[in-house]
């Protein structure tokens, strides 16, 4: 998605997003500032604001990128559906591995409350959720279970949400 030296070719917005990604991975949301993003990008603070209105807009874009990446990883697992049990476990493991490797993205994606979500973020969340729903449908059909695949996927989402404290503790342990 990003290439080196894109700023000099008129691609400042993507250069700034790349710097945002680096800062999020390194420091998380609590120490995230557009001033530091500008410094990492090698541009003025004002240049960042020509592309983004505020910090929350940038964080939403990063959350959308995170959901897109998760969906992409989930789709790779979906290519191997020989054994429904193994497939379903792998689908779950991809999710866990993503959270372990990207704790700051995970927190931004799943543990940040927003008043209103952008269309881009809504689409990215839906794309990731759709892969999960498809996986649930495949698994339930292969097991000849009569449960509704969407309800099954929602129950999995709820299970994830119930373990918020555990996820935060895990993220802290990883970041030590």
């Amino acid at each position: 998605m990003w290439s080196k030296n894109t700023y000099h070719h008129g691609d400042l917005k993507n250069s700034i997003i790349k710097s945002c990604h680096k800062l999020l991975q390194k420091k998380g949301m609590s120490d995230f500032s557009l001033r530091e993003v500008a410094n990492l990008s090698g541009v003025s603070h004002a240049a960042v604001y020509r592309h983004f209105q505020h910090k929350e807009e940038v964080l939403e874009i990063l959350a959308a990128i995170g959901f897109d990446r998760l969906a992409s990883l989930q789709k790779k697992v979906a290519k191997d559906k020989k054994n429904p049990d193994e497939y379903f476990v792998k689908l779950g493991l991809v999710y866990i591995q993503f959270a372990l490797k990207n704790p700051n993205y995970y927190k931004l994606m799943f543990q940040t409350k927003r008043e209103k979500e952008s269309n881009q973020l809504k689409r990215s969340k839906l794309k990731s959720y759709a892969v999960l729903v498809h996986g649930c449908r495949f698994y339930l059909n292969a097991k000849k279970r009569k449960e509704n695949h969407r309800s099954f996927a929602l129950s999995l989402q709820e299970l994830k949400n119930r373990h918020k404290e555990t996820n935060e503790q895990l993220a802290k342990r990883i970041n030590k």
Side-chain angles (χ1 to χ4, degrees):
M1 181 174 180
W2 300 302
S3 62
K4 290 186 178 184
N5 301 321
T6 55
Y7 167 63
H8 298 292
H9 299 285
D11 199 3
L12 180 56
K13 187 172 184 174
N14 277 331
S15 178
I16 291 169
I17 291 172
K18 184 177 181 180
S19 295
C20 291
H21 165 75
K22 288 178 185 177
L23 187 60
L24 179 66
Q25 292 285 61
K26 183 178 176 183
K27 293 193 172 187
M29 290 184 304
S30 60
D31 294 327
F32 191 94
S33 77
L34 292 183
R35 188 168 300 281
E36 192 160 353
V37 168
N39 290 338
L40 280 172
S41 300
V43 298
S44 71
H45 187 74
V48 174
Y49 282 99
R50 280 188 220 116
H51 293 280
F52 305 102
Q53 294 178 9
H54 44 74
K55 174 177 141 176
E56 288 71 27
E57 179 184 5
V58 174
L59 291 175
E60 267 206 8
I61 290 168
L62 291 176
I65 290 169
F67 279 110
D68 290 342
R69 288 180 179 171
L70 178 58
S72 176
L73 293 170
Q74 291 169 316
K75 285 178 183 177
K76 287 180 184 176
V77 169
K79 291 179 182 176
D80 182 22
K81 293 183 181 176
K82 295 173 190 158
N83 180 319
D85 292 320
E86 284 181 25
Y87 163 71
F88 203 63
V89 168
K90 285 179 183 177
L91 193 60
L93 286 174
V94 162
Y95 179 88
I96 292 167
Q97 289 168 344
F98 179 87
L100 290 172
K101 290 179 182 176
N102 305 283
N104 292 329
Y105 265 98
Y106 180 87
K107 188 173 184 178
L108 177 64
M109 293 160 59
F110 294 106
Q111 297 173 358
T112 302
K113 294 193 187 258
R114 295 171 181 88
E115 288 184 32
K116 186 179 177 189
E117 293 181 342
S118 68
N119 288 334
Q120 178 185 3
L121 180 56
K122 286 177 187 176
R123 279 191 303 272
S124 295
K125 286 173 88 170
L126 187 60
K127 189 185 327 177
S128 177
Y129 181 67
V131 178
L132 176 63
V133 169
H134 177 77
C136 289
R137 180 187 306 131
F138 170 77
Y139 177 77
L140 292 171
N141 287 342
K143 293 296 190 177
K144 297 183 182 6
R145 291 173 57 176
K146 303 290 182 199
E147 296 162 74
N148 180 288
H149 57 280
R150 287 185 179 91
S151 297
F152 193 72
L154 282 173
S155 65
L156 293 175
Q157 288 284 358
E158 181 59 31
L159 183 63
K160 172 200 62 81
N161 292 336
R162 287 186 187 169
H163 294 287
K164 180 179 178 181
E165 273 186 46
T166 307
N167 294 333
E168 288 176 353
Q169 291 169 346
L170 185 59
K172 285 180 184 176
R173 192 169 36 138
I174 292 168
N175 289 328
K176 284 185 181 179

